[in-house]
Amino acid sequence: MAQSLSTSMISSSSCAFLAPTKLDSRPQSVSLQVKRVGVCKCVATPQEEKIAFKTMVSRNANIAKLQAGYLFPEIARRKAAHLLKFPDAQVISLGIGDTTEPIPKVITSAMEKRAYELSTQEGYSGYGAEQGEKPLRAAIASTFYRDLGIEESDIFVSDGAKCDISRLQVVFGSNVTMAVQDPSYPAYVDSSVIMGQTGQFQKDVEKYGNIEYMKCSPENGFFPDLSTVARTDIIFFCSPNNPTGAAATREQLTQLVQFAKSNGSIIVYDSAYAMYMSDDNPRSIFEIPGAKEVAIETSSFSKYAGFTGVRLGWTVIPKELLFSDGFPVARDFNRIVCTCFNGASNISQAGGLACLTPEGLGAMHQVIGFYKENTDIITETFSSLGFKVYGGKNAPYVWVHFPGQSSWDVFSEILEKTHVVTTPGSGFGPAGEGFVRVSAFGHRQNILEACKRFKQLYK
Ligand SMILES: Cc1ncc(COP(=O)(O)O)c(C=O)c1O
Protein backbone atom coordinates (compact mmCIF):
# COMPACT_ATOMS: atom_id res chain seq x y z
CA MET A 1 0.00 0.00 0.00
CA ALA A 2 1.47 3.37 -0.99
CA GLN A 3 1.94 5.93 1.76
CA SER A 4 3.16 9.52 1.69
CA LEU A 5 6.21 10.45 3.71
CA SER A 6 6.94 13.57 5.68
CA THR A 7 8.96 16.14 3.76
CA SER A 8 11.55 17.04 6.38
CA MET A 9 13.04 13.89 7.76
CA ILE A 10 16.74 14.45 7.34
CA SER A 11 19.31 17.12 7.94
CA SER A 12 21.96 18.27 5.60
CA SER A 13 25.75 18.01 5.63
CA SER A 14 28.38 16.72 3.30
CA CYS A 15 30.18 13.43 3.62
CA ALA A 16 33.94 12.97 3.29
CA PHE A 17 34.97 9.76 1.58
CA LEU A 18 38.59 9.34 2.46
CA ALA A 19 38.74 10.71 5.97
CA PRO A 20 37.07 7.73 7.63
CA THR A 21 38.59 4.41 6.73
CA LYS A 22 35.55 2.47 7.87
CA LEU A 23 32.36 3.03 5.96
CA ASP A 24 30.20 3.09 9.06
CA SER A 25 32.30 5.89 10.53
CA ARG A 26 30.93 8.30 7.95
CA PRO A 27 29.00 11.32 9.21
CA GLN A 28 25.49 10.25 10.05
CA SER A 29 23.75 13.28 8.63
CA VAL A 30 22.46 13.43 5.11
CA SER A 31 23.40 15.72 2.29
CA LEU A 32 20.50 16.63 0.09
CA GLN A 33 21.15 18.30 -3.17
CA VAL A 34 18.51 21.00 -3.11
CA LYS A 35 20.75 23.93 -4.00
CA ARG A 36 20.77 23.77 -7.79
CA VAL A 37 17.08 23.98 -8.22
CA GLY A 38 16.79 26.47 -11.11
CA VAL A 39 14.10 25.47 -13.58
CA CYS A 40 15.81 23.40 -16.24
CA LYS A 41 14.50 23.73 -19.76
CA CYS A 42 14.69 20.78 -22.14
CA VAL A 43 16.42 21.25 -25.46
CA ALA A 44 13.21 20.46 -27.27
CA THR A 45 10.98 22.65 -25.08
CA PRO A 46 9.24 25.22 -27.30
CA GLN A 47 10.14 28.81 -26.55
CA GLU A 48 7.22 30.47 -24.85
CA GLU A 49 8.63 34.00 -24.69
CA LYS A 50 7.39 36.56 -27.19
CA ILE A 51 9.63 36.41 -30.24
CA ALA A 52 11.03 39.79 -31.27
CA PHE A 53 13.33 38.71 -34.09
CA LYS A 54 14.03 35.55 -36.04
CA THR A 55 17.14 34.78 -38.08
CA MET A 56 16.81 33.27 -41.54
CA VAL A 57 18.69 30.13 -40.51
CA SER A 58 16.60 27.01 -40.57
CA ARG A 59 16.80 24.62 -37.68
CA ASN A 60 18.83 21.43 -38.14
CA ALA A 61 16.06 19.01 -39.10
CA ASN A 62 17.88 16.11 -37.47
CA ILE A 63 18.01 17.83 -34.08
CA ALA A 64 14.35 18.66 -34.50
CA LYS A 65 13.64 14.91 -34.66
CA LEU A 66 14.73 14.46 -31.02
CA GLN A 67 11.92 13.72 -28.61
CA ALA A 68 11.15 15.80 -25.51
CA GLY A 69 14.73 16.61 -24.66
CA TYR A 70 17.54 14.41 -23.45
CA LEU A 71 16.32 12.06 -20.70
CA PHE A 72 18.36 13.48 -17.84
CA PRO A 73 17.48 17.17 -18.40
CA GLU A 74 13.84 16.02 -18.49
CA ILE A 75 14.29 14.33 -15.10
CA ALA A 76 15.97 17.48 -13.77
CA ARG A 77 12.98 19.48 -15.03
CA ARG A 78 10.55 17.19 -13.22
CA LYS A 79 12.65 17.30 -10.07
CA ALA A 80 12.63 21.12 -10.21
CA ALA A 81 8.85 21.13 -10.70
CA HIS A 82 8.51 18.78 -7.73
CA LEU A 83 10.55 21.15 -5.59
CA LEU A 84 8.34 24.05 -6.60
CA LYS A 85 5.36 21.99 -5.43
CA PHE A 86 7.10 20.73 -2.25
CA PRO A 87 9.65 23.45 -1.41
CA ASP A 88 10.59 21.80 1.89
CA ALA A 89 10.97 18.30 0.46
CA GLN A 90 14.20 16.54 1.30
CA VAL A 91 14.74 15.24 -2.19
CA ILE A 92 17.18 12.38 -2.69
CA SER A 93 18.50 11.95 -6.19
CA LEU A 94 19.14 8.38 -7.31
CA GLY A 95 18.32 9.31 -10.86
CA ILE A 96 20.96 10.71 -13.14
CA GLY A 97 23.82 8.42 -12.06
CA ASP A 98 26.25 11.12 -11.02
CA THR A 99 28.99 10.24 -8.55
CA THR A 100 28.81 11.72 -5.05
CA GLU A 101 31.93 10.68 -3.15
CA PRO A 102 35.04 12.87 -3.03
CA ILE A 103 37.94 12.07 -5.32
CA PRO A 104 40.71 10.28 -3.40
CA LYS A 105 43.49 12.60 -2.24
CA VAL A 106 46.20 10.61 -4.01
CA ILE A 107 44.51 11.67 -7.24
CA THR A 108 43.64 15.29 -6.44
CA SER A 109 47.13 15.96 -5.09
CA ALA A 110 48.58 15.01 -8.50
CA MET A 111 46.17 17.46 -10.15
CA GLU A 112 47.06 20.10 -7.57
CA LYS A 113 50.75 19.62 -8.33
CA ARG A 114 50.20 19.90 -12.07
CA ALA A 115 48.06 23.01 -11.60
CA TYR A 116 50.79 24.58 -9.51
CA GLU A 117 53.46 23.71 -12.07
CA LEU A 118 51.47 25.59 -14.67
CA SER A 119 52.19 28.76 -12.77
CA THR A 120 55.94 28.25 -13.06
CA GLN A 121 58.20 29.01 -16.02
CA GLU A 122 59.58 25.46 -16.13
CA GLY A 123 56.31 23.69 -15.54
CA TYR A 124 54.07 25.64 -17.88
CA SER A 125 52.66 23.87 -20.93
CA GLY A 126 50.04 24.92 -23.44
CA TYR A 127 48.27 22.73 -25.96
CA GLY A 128 49.23 19.11 -25.58
CA ALA A 129 49.02 16.20 -27.99
CA GLU A 130 45.40 15.88 -29.16
CA GLN A 131 45.58 12.12 -28.57
CA GLY A 132 46.70 12.54 -24.95
CA GLU A 133 49.96 12.47 -23.07
CA LYS A 134 52.16 9.47 -23.81
CA PRO A 135 52.63 8.30 -20.19
CA LEU A 136 48.86 8.27 -19.66
CA ARG A 137 48.20 6.42 -22.92
CA ALA A 138 50.86 3.88 -21.92
CA ALA A 139 49.40 3.51 -18.42
CA ILE A 140 45.87 2.95 -19.83
CA ALA A 141 47.25 0.31 -22.21
CA SER A 142 49.12 -1.55 -19.50
CA THR A 143 46.41 -1.26 -16.83
CA PHE A 144 43.31 -2.15 -18.82
CA TYR A 145 44.64 -3.99 -21.88
CA ARG A 146 47.70 -5.89 -20.67
CA ASP A 147 48.38 -8.94 -22.85
CA LEU A 148 45.51 -8.01 -25.19
CA GLY A 149 47.74 -6.64 -27.95
CA ILE A 150 46.55 -3.05 -27.49
CA GLU A 151 49.34 -0.53 -27.78
CA GLU A 152 49.73 2.99 -26.44
CA SER A 153 49.26 4.34 -29.98
CA ASP A 154 45.81 2.69 -30.22
CA ILE A 155 44.57 4.81 -27.31
CA PHE A 156 43.04 8.27 -27.61
CA VAL A 157 42.65 10.12 -24.33
CA SER A 158 39.59 12.34 -24.19
CA ASP A 159 37.33 14.52 -22.08
CA GLY A 160 34.95 11.60 -21.53
CA ALA A 161 33.22 8.67 -23.16
CA LYS A 162 30.09 10.63 -24.03
CA CYS A 163 32.13 13.15 -25.99
CA ASP A 164 33.93 10.31 -27.79
CA ILE A 165 30.63 8.68 -28.73
CA SER A 166 29.67 11.88 -30.56
CA ARG A 167 33.11 12.20 -32.15
CA LEU A 168 32.84 8.60 -33.37
CA GLN A 169 29.49 9.48 -34.92
CA VAL A 170 31.18 12.34 -36.80
CA VAL A 171 33.70 9.80 -38.11
CA PHE A 172 30.91 7.45 -39.27
CA GLY A 173 28.84 10.21 -40.87
CA SER A 174 25.20 10.19 -41.76
CA ASN A 175 25.13 7.27 -44.20
CA VAL A 176 25.68 4.42 -41.77
CA THR A 177 23.05 2.25 -40.14
CA MET A 178 23.23 1.49 -36.46
CA ALA A 179 22.01 -0.98 -33.84
CA VAL A 180 21.66 -0.44 -30.11
CA GLN A 181 20.73 -2.51 -27.12
CA ASP A 182 17.18 -1.71 -26.05
CA PRO A 183 17.27 -0.29 -23.40
CA SER A 184 20.53 1.62 -23.63
CA TYR A 185 22.38 4.75 -22.54
CA PRO A 186 20.59 7.51 -24.52
CA ALA A 187 23.70 9.11 -26.02
CA TYR A 188 24.03 6.41 -28.71
CA VAL A 189 20.56 6.91 -30.15
CA ASP A 190 20.47 10.67 -29.73
CA SER A 191 23.87 11.22 -31.37
CA SER A 192 22.76 8.98 -34.21
CA VAL A 193 19.59 11.04 -34.67
CA ILE A 194 21.59 14.27 -34.62
CA MET A 195 23.98 12.88 -37.26
CA GLY A 196 21.05 12.12 -39.55
CA GLN A 197 21.48 8.34 -39.49
CA THR A 198 17.84 7.76 -38.53
CA GLY A 199 14.33 8.37 -39.67
CA GLN A 200 11.66 10.19 -37.68
CA PHE A 201 10.51 9.08 -34.24
CA GLN A 202 7.62 6.65 -34.59
CA LYS A 203 5.27 7.29 -31.71
CA ASP A 204 3.37 3.99 -32.05
CA VAL A 205 6.49 1.90 -31.39
CA GLU A 206 8.49 4.56 -29.51
CA LYS A 207 11.44 4.02 -31.86
CA TYR A 208 13.32 6.04 -34.46
CA GLY A 209 13.14 4.75 -38.00
CA ASN A 210 16.28 3.10 -39.38
CA ILE A 211 17.71 2.09 -36.00
CA GLU A 212 17.91 -1.59 -35.15
CA TYR A 213 16.76 -1.94 -31.54
CA MET A 214 18.22 -5.10 -30.00
CA LYS A 215 15.80 -6.04 -27.26
CA CYS A 216 17.44 -6.93 -23.94
CA SER A 217 14.97 -8.21 -21.38
CA PRO A 218 14.80 -10.74 -18.55
CA GLU A 219 13.45 -13.27 -21.09
CA ASN A 220 16.69 -13.29 -23.10
CA GLY A 221 19.02 -12.73 -20.13
CA PHE A 222 19.53 -9.15 -21.34
CA PHE A 223 21.50 -10.35 -24.37
CA PRO A 224 19.89 -9.88 -27.79
CA ASP A 225 18.86 -12.78 -29.93
CA LEU A 226 21.32 -12.03 -32.74
CA SER A 227 19.53 -14.38 -35.14
CA THR A 228 16.71 -11.80 -35.29
CA VAL A 229 18.95 -8.72 -35.52
CA ALA A 230 19.29 -7.13 -38.94
CA ARG A 231 22.74 -6.26 -40.29
CA THR A 232 23.87 -2.71 -39.51
CA ASP A 233 27.16 -0.91 -40.06
CA ILE A 234 27.61 0.08 -36.44
CA ILE A 235 26.60 -1.83 -33.29
CA PHE A 236 26.66 0.04 -29.99
CA PHE A 237 27.08 -2.37 -27.13
CA CYS A 238 27.52 -1.47 -23.46
CA SER A 239 28.66 -4.02 -20.87
CA PRO A 240 28.14 -3.86 -17.94
CA ASN A 241 25.06 -2.19 -19.25
CA ASN A 242 23.52 1.09 -18.29
CA PRO A 243 20.63 0.89 -17.37
CA THR A 244 20.01 -2.86 -16.88
CA GLY A 245 23.27 -3.59 -15.05
CA ALA A 246 23.64 -6.77 -17.12
CA ALA A 247 27.15 -7.86 -18.09
CA ALA A 248 27.70 -10.03 -21.14
CA THR A 249 29.54 -13.32 -20.72
CA ARG A 250 32.58 -14.40 -22.74
CA GLU A 251 30.37 -16.70 -24.85
CA GLN A 252 27.91 -13.89 -25.57
CA LEU A 253 30.66 -11.45 -26.54
CA THR A 254 32.24 -14.11 -28.73
CA GLN A 255 28.88 -14.42 -30.50
CA LEU A 256 28.72 -10.65 -30.87
CA VAL A 257 32.21 -10.44 -32.38
CA GLN A 258 31.39 -13.27 -34.79
CA PHE A 259 28.13 -11.55 -35.71
CA ALA A 260 30.02 -8.31 -36.44
CA LYS A 261 32.62 -10.16 -38.44
CA SER A 262 30.15 -12.03 -40.59
CA ASN A 263 28.25 -8.80 -41.26
CA GLY A 264 31.33 -6.62 -41.74
CA SER A 265 30.09 -4.33 -38.93
CA ILE A 266 31.93 -2.22 -36.36
CA ILE A 267 31.11 -2.67 -32.67
CA VAL A 268 31.40 0.41 -30.45
CA TYR A 269 31.85 -1.22 -27.06
CA ASP A 270 31.23 0.98 -24.02
CA SER A 271 33.05 -0.34 -20.95
CA ALA A 272 32.48 2.68 -18.69
CA TYR A 273 31.47 0.36 -15.80
CA ALA A 274 33.95 -2.50 -16.34
CA MET A 275 35.62 -1.97 -12.96
CA TYR A 276 32.26 -2.61 -11.26
CA MET A 277 32.21 -6.18 -12.49
CA SER A 278 32.02 -8.88 -9.82
CA ASP A 279 31.36 -11.81 -12.15
CA ASP A 280 34.16 -13.31 -14.19
CA ASN A 281 33.06 -11.72 -17.47
CA PRO A 282 35.35 -9.92 -19.91
CA ARG A 283 36.18 -6.38 -18.86
CA SER A 284 37.19 -5.44 -22.38
CA ILE A 285 35.89 -6.50 -25.79
CA PHE A 286 39.52 -7.05 -26.77
CA GLU A 287 39.58 -10.15 -24.56
CA ILE A 288 37.60 -11.77 -27.37
CA PRO A 289 39.77 -13.21 -30.17
CA GLY A 290 39.32 -11.30 -33.42
CA ALA A 291 37.75 -8.24 -31.76
CA LYS A 292 40.57 -5.95 -32.87
CA GLU A 293 39.34 -6.24 -36.47
CA VAL A 294 35.75 -5.29 -35.65
CA ALA A 295 35.65 -3.24 -32.45
CA ILE A 296 36.30 0.11 -30.87
CA GLU A 297 36.17 0.47 -27.09
CA THR A 298 35.30 3.64 -25.22
CA SER A 299 35.67 4.07 -21.48
CA SER A 300 35.94 6.63 -18.75
CA PHE A 301 37.39 7.68 -15.41
CA SER A 302 34.01 9.23 -14.51
CA LYS A 303 32.55 6.36 -12.51
CA TYR A 304 35.87 4.94 -11.30
CA ALA A 305 37.43 8.03 -9.78
CA GLY A 306 34.53 10.47 -9.47
CA PHE A 307 35.73 12.33 -12.59
CA THR A 308 32.23 13.21 -13.85
CA GLY A 309 33.16 16.86 -13.36
CA VAL A 310 36.92 16.60 -13.94
CA ARG A 311 36.29 14.97 -17.36
CA LEU A 312 38.62 12.24 -18.59
CA GLY A 313 38.05 9.16 -20.70
CA TRP A 314 39.59 7.24 -23.54
CA THR A 315 38.80 5.39 -26.72
CA VAL A 316 40.73 2.44 -28.15
CA ILE A 317 40.83 2.03 -31.92
CA PRO A 318 43.13 -0.82 -32.95
CA LYS A 319 45.22 -0.41 -36.09
CA GLU A 320 43.64 -3.62 -37.39
CA LEU A 321 40.21 -1.96 -37.67
CA LEU A 322 39.67 -0.90 -41.29
CA PHE A 323 36.91 0.64 -43.37
CA SER A 324 35.69 -1.20 -46.47
CA ASP A 325 38.32 0.57 -48.60
CA GLY A 326 41.09 -0.58 -46.27
CA PHE A 327 41.58 2.83 -44.64
CA PRO A 328 42.31 2.62 -40.87
CA VAL A 329 39.42 3.86 -38.72
CA ALA A 330 41.95 5.20 -36.20
CA ARG A 331 43.36 7.62 -38.78
CA ASP A 332 39.96 9.17 -39.42
CA PHE A 333 39.29 9.34 -35.69
CA ASN A 334 42.64 11.05 -35.27
CA ARG A 335 41.62 13.60 -37.92
CA ILE A 336 38.36 14.32 -36.08
CA VAL A 337 40.12 14.57 -32.72
CA CYS A 338 42.61 17.04 -34.21
CA THR A 339 39.85 19.06 -35.86
CA CYS A 340 37.09 19.06 -33.23
CA PHE A 341 39.00 18.64 -29.98
CA ASN A 342 42.28 19.93 -28.66
CA GLY A 343 43.01 17.19 -26.17
CA ALA A 344 41.95 16.55 -22.59
CA SER A 345 42.92 19.06 -19.91
CA ASN A 346 46.52 18.60 -18.79
CA ILE A 347 45.36 18.78 -15.15
CA SER A 348 42.80 15.99 -15.71
CA GLN A 349 45.48 13.89 -17.37
CA ALA A 350 47.75 14.29 -14.34
CA GLY A 351 44.83 13.02 -12.28
CA GLY A 352 44.30 10.12 -14.68
CA LEU A 353 47.94 9.11 -14.41
CA ALA A 354 47.66 9.17 -10.60
CA CYS A 355 44.54 6.98 -10.85
CA LEU A 356 46.65 4.28 -12.49
CA THR A 357 49.42 4.14 -9.90
CA PRO A 358 49.10 1.28 -7.37
CA GLU A 359 47.83 3.76 -4.74
CA GLY A 360 45.40 5.35 -7.20
CA LEU A 361 44.05 1.98 -8.28
CA GLY A 362 43.58 1.00 -4.65
CA ALA A 363 41.73 4.23 -3.94
CA MET A 364 39.48 3.78 -6.98
CA HIS A 365 38.65 0.24 -5.89
CA GLN A 366 37.71 1.60 -2.49
CA VAL A 367 35.29 4.15 -3.99
CA ILE A 368 33.83 1.51 -6.30
CA GLY A 369 33.49 -0.87 -3.35
CA PHE A 370 31.53 1.78 -1.48
CA TYR A 371 29.08 2.23 -4.35
CA LYS A 372 28.78 -1.54 -4.69
CA GLU A 373 27.71 -1.72 -1.05
CA ASN A 374 25.06 0.90 -1.85
CA THR A 375 23.94 -1.30 -4.73
CA ASP A 376 23.54 -4.26 -2.38
CA ILE A 377 21.42 -2.17 0.01
CA ILE A 378 19.09 -1.07 -2.80
CA THR A 379 18.86 -4.56 -4.29
CA GLU A 380 18.10 -6.05 -0.89
CA THR A 381 15.39 -3.44 -0.25
CA PHE A 382 13.46 -4.04 -3.46
CA SER A 383 13.90 -7.82 -3.27
CA SER A 384 12.56 -7.85 0.29
CA LEU A 385 9.51 -5.92 -0.95
CA GLY A 386 8.81 -8.68 -3.45
CA PHE A 387 10.02 -6.94 -6.61
CA LYS A 388 11.96 -8.69 -9.34
CA VAL A 389 15.31 -6.92 -9.33
CA TYR A 390 18.02 -7.12 -12.00
CA GLY A 391 21.51 -5.69 -12.37
CA GLY A 392 23.40 -4.47 -9.35
CA LYS A 393 26.07 -7.16 -9.24
CA ASN A 394 28.23 -5.87 -12.08
CA ALA A 395 27.13 -2.24 -12.30
CA PRO A 396 26.06 0.57 -9.98
CA TYR A 397 22.48 0.38 -11.22
CA VAL A 398 19.51 -1.61 -9.97
CA TRP A 399 16.84 -2.37 -12.56
CA VAL A 400 13.52 -2.89 -10.81
CA HIS A 401 10.55 -4.44 -12.57
CA PHE A 402 7.04 -3.02 -12.19
CA PRO A 403 5.16 -5.34 -14.55
CA GLY A 404 2.21 -3.79 -16.35
CA GLN A 405 2.95 -0.28 -15.10
CA SER A 406 4.24 2.71 -17.02
CA SER A 407 7.80 3.66 -16.05
CA TRP A 408 6.97 7.37 -15.96
CA ASP A 409 3.95 6.65 -13.71
CA VAL A 410 6.14 4.69 -11.31
CA PHE A 411 8.81 7.43 -11.46
CA SER A 412 6.13 10.04 -10.65
CA GLU A 413 4.61 8.02 -7.82
CA ILE A 414 8.00 7.41 -6.21
CA LEU A 415 8.92 11.11 -6.54
CA GLU A 416 5.55 12.35 -5.30
CA LYS A 417 5.36 10.03 -2.31
CA THR A 418 8.97 9.53 -1.25
CA HIS A 419 10.76 12.55 -2.75
CA VAL A 420 13.28 10.18 -4.30
CA VAL A 421 14.32 10.74 -7.91
CA THR A 422 14.82 7.56 -9.94
CA THR A 423 14.97 7.10 -13.72
CA PRO A 424 12.05 5.73 -15.75
CA GLY A 425 13.19 2.71 -17.72
CA SER A 426 11.31 3.73 -20.86
CA GLY A 427 13.63 6.73 -21.15
CA PHE A 428 16.33 4.25 -22.22
CA GLY A 429 14.25 2.66 -24.97
CA PRO A 430 10.89 0.95 -25.42
CA ALA A 431 12.07 -2.32 -23.85
CA GLY A 432 12.69 -0.35 -20.64
CA GLU A 433 8.95 0.19 -20.20
CA GLY A 434 7.76 -1.23 -16.90
CA PHE A 435 11.17 -0.79 -15.26
CA VAL A 436 12.75 1.88 -13.11
CA ARG A 437 16.50 2.36 -12.73
CA VAL A 438 17.76 3.15 -9.24
CA SER A 439 21.29 4.51 -9.14
CA ALA A 440 23.66 3.48 -6.35
CA PHE A 441 25.59 6.72 -6.56
CA GLY A 442 24.79 8.47 -3.30
CA HIS A 443 25.98 9.17 0.21
CA ARG A 444 25.33 6.17 2.42
CA GLN A 445 22.82 7.96 4.61
CA ASN A 446 20.86 9.06 1.56
CA ILE A 447 20.77 5.50 0.25
CA LEU A 448 19.58 4.22 3.62
CA GLU A 449 16.98 6.97 3.90
CA ALA A 450 15.73 6.36 0.35
CA CYS A 451 15.43 2.64 1.06
CA LYS A 452 13.51 3.38 4.26
CA ARG A 453 11.09 5.48 2.24
CA PHE A 454 10.76 2.75 -0.43
CA LYS A 455 9.88 0.31 2.34
CA GLN A 456 7.19 2.64 3.68
CA LEU A 457 5.78 3.17 0.20
CA TYR A 458 5.66 -0.43 -0.90
CA LYS A 459 5.21 -2.39 2.36
C1 LIG B 1 27.32 3.75 -20.46
C2 LIG B 1 27.89 5.12 -20.30
N1 LIG B 1 28.81 5.54 -21.17
C3 LIG B 1 29.34 6.76 -21.07
C4 LIG B 1 28.96 7.62 -20.06
C5 LIG B 1 29.53 9.00 -20.02
O1 LIG B 1 30.82 8.99 -19.53
P1 LIG B 1 31.68 10.31 -19.46
O2 LIG B 1 31.37 10.98 -18.16
O3 LIG B 1 33.07 9.82 -19.56
O4 LIG B 1 31.32 11.18 -20.62
C6 LIG B 1 28.02 7.22 -19.13
C7 LIG B 1 27.59 8.12 -18.08
O5 LIG B 1 26.67 7.94 -17.35
C8 LIG B 1 27.46 5.93 -19.26
O6 LIG B 1 26.54 5.50 -18.41
Side-chain angles (χ1 to χ4, degrees):
M1 183 75 70
Q3 286 175 1
S4 267
L5 290 157
S6 119
T7 55
S8 54
M9 297 164 72
I10 28 194
S11 66
S12 138
S13 111
S14 66
C15 162
F17 181 69
L18 274 182
T21 46
K22 290 211 311 249
L23 295 170
D24 59 3
S25 63
R26 285 160 172 262
Q28 292 302 299
S29 52
V30 177
S31 165
L32 294 164
Q33 257 88 104
V34 287
K35 280 176 288 178
R36 287 181 272 160
V37 171
V39 177
C40 162
K41 219 168 214 174
C42 299
V43 267
T45 305
Q47 300 290 307
E48 279 151 23
E49 300 89 50
K50 207 167 148 240
I51 295 167
F53 174 78
K54 280 194 260 180
T55 68
M56 292 167 70
V57 181
S58 45
R59 187 170 175 215
N60 180 333
N62 292 319
I63 297 183
K65 287 178 196 164
L66 290 170
Q67 296 302 296
Y70 187 72
L71 173 64
F72 297 114
E74 176 61 18
I75 290 170
R77 192 188 65 74
R78 290 185 184 225
K79 177 181 168 186
H82 180 76
L83 277 160
L84 286 178
K85 193 168 158 194
F86 299 100
D88 299 325
Q90 302 290 308
V91 172
I92 298 174
S93 188
L94 305 181
I96 181 165
D98 194 2
T99 47
T100 55
E101 303 310 295
I103 299 170
K105 258 249 153 64
V106 60
I107 299 165
T108 51
S109 52
M111 292 196 275
E112 191 184 339
K113 182 165 172 283
R114 176 67 77 89
Y116 173 75
E117 283 166 4
L118 290 175
S119 67
T120 66
Q121 201 65 53
E122 315 74 53
Y124 175 76
S125 62
Y127 290 125
E130 290 90 343
Q131 305 79 6
E133 296 172 3
K134 254 176 167 291
L136 179 57
R137 298 171 83 190
I140 291 170
S142 64
T143 306
F144 297 104
Y145 306 101
R146 184 181 292 277
D147 302 328
L148 299 181
I150 297 296
E151 294 168 4
E152 170 212 312
S153 55
D154 298 325
I155 290 162
F156 295 82
V157 173
S158 75
D159 52 350
K162 191 192 233 182
C163 318
D164 275 348
I165 290 161
S166 284
R167 283 190 281 263
L168 285 167
Q169 294 282 28
V170 175
V171 169
F172 299 140
S174 53
N175 287 329
V176 296
T177 50
M178 69 94 107
V180 279
Q181 286 153 296
D182 176 19
S184 66
Y185 177 56
Y188 316 132
V189 167
D190 286 5
S191 60
S192 175
V193 173
I194 290 167
M195 278 307 295
Q197 297 166 359
T198 76
Q200 295 291 342
F201 188 72
Q202 299 157 358
K203 279 221 155 36
D204 52 338
V205 284
E206 301 272 314
K207 293 177 180 178
Y208 288 94
N210 212 30
I211 289 186
E212 182 70 15
Y213 289 78
M214 304 185 291
K215 189 171 179 185
C216 296
S217 61
E219 291 73 42
N220 60 16
F222 296 100
F223 187 79
D225 175 0
L226 295 175
S227 69
T228 65
V229 172
R231 184 214 172 262
T232 59
D233 296 311
I234 311 298
I235 304 167
F236 282 92
F237 199 92
C238 177
S239 179
N241 183 268
N242 175 10
T244 66
T249 64
R250 194 168 301 277
E251 294 68 35
Q252 289 171 334
L253 291 178
T254 303
Q255 267 183 45
L256 184 70
V257 166
Q258 278 163 2
F259 180 73
K261 208 158 227 174
S262 56
N263 284 325
S265 309
I266 294 177
I267 300 166
V268 178
Y269 189 80
D270 186 335
S271 63
Y273 299 99
M275 281 182 78
Y276 283 81
M277 193 98 72
S278 290
D279 287 335
D280 185 27
N281 293 329
R283 278 145 178 79
S284 164
I285 190 71
F286 300 118
E287 290 184 39
I288 308 301
K292 287 207 283 291
E293 289 164 3
V294 291
I296 290 169
E297 181 163 313
T298 188
S299 200
S300 172
F301 286 94
S302 284
K303 309 296 164 86
Y304 298 171
F307 270 27
T308 47
V310 172
R311 309 303 304 144
L312 196 69
W314 70 91
T315 287
V316 186
I317 310 189
K319 290 170 206 44
E320 293 87 339
L321 184 70
L322 307 176
F323 286 117
S324 57
D325 63 357
F327 198 82
V329 176
R331 280 180 56 191
D332 274 355
F333 189 68
N334 189 56
R335 188 75 170 81
I336 294 304
V337 160
C338 293
T339 303
C340 310
F341 177 55
N342 258 334
S345 146
N346 41 23
I347 298 170
S348 309
Q349 293 190 72
L353 197 55
C355 286
L356 304 180
T357 60
E359 302 75 35
L361 283 166
M364 287 199 298
H365 278 296
Q366 210 186 337
V367 181
I368 290 167
F370 172 75
Y371 290 131
K372 282 175 76 68
E373 287 177 2
N374 282 351
T375 317
D376 292 345
I377 295 168
I378 298 167
T379 303
E380 214 292 299
T381 298
F382 280 100
S383 300
S384 72
L385 292 166
F387 289 93
K388 267 258 181 236
V389 178
Y390 302 93
K393 193 166 178 208
N394 298 307
Y397 299 119
V398 180
W399 189 238
V400 189
H401 201 184
F402 292 82
Q405 286 184 264
S406 130
S407 298
W408 277 110
D409 287 352
V410 177
F411 166 90
S412 297
E413 182 182 47
I414 292 176
L415 181 59
E416 187 90 10
K417 296 188 174 151
T418 69
H419 311 296
V420 178
V421 180
T422 56
T423 308
S426 58
F428 298 97
E433 187 56 286
F435 290 87
V436 160
R437 189 194 76 174
V438 185
S439 159
F441 292 118
H443 300 317
R444 179 61 46 82
Q445 287 306 313
N446 280 356
I447 299 288
L448 292 171
E449 174 61 27
C451 287
K452 195 167 116 198
R453 297 183 195 176
F454 294 145
K455 284 184 176 164
Q456 280 181 256
L457 177 65
Y458 291 115
K459 70 181 177 218

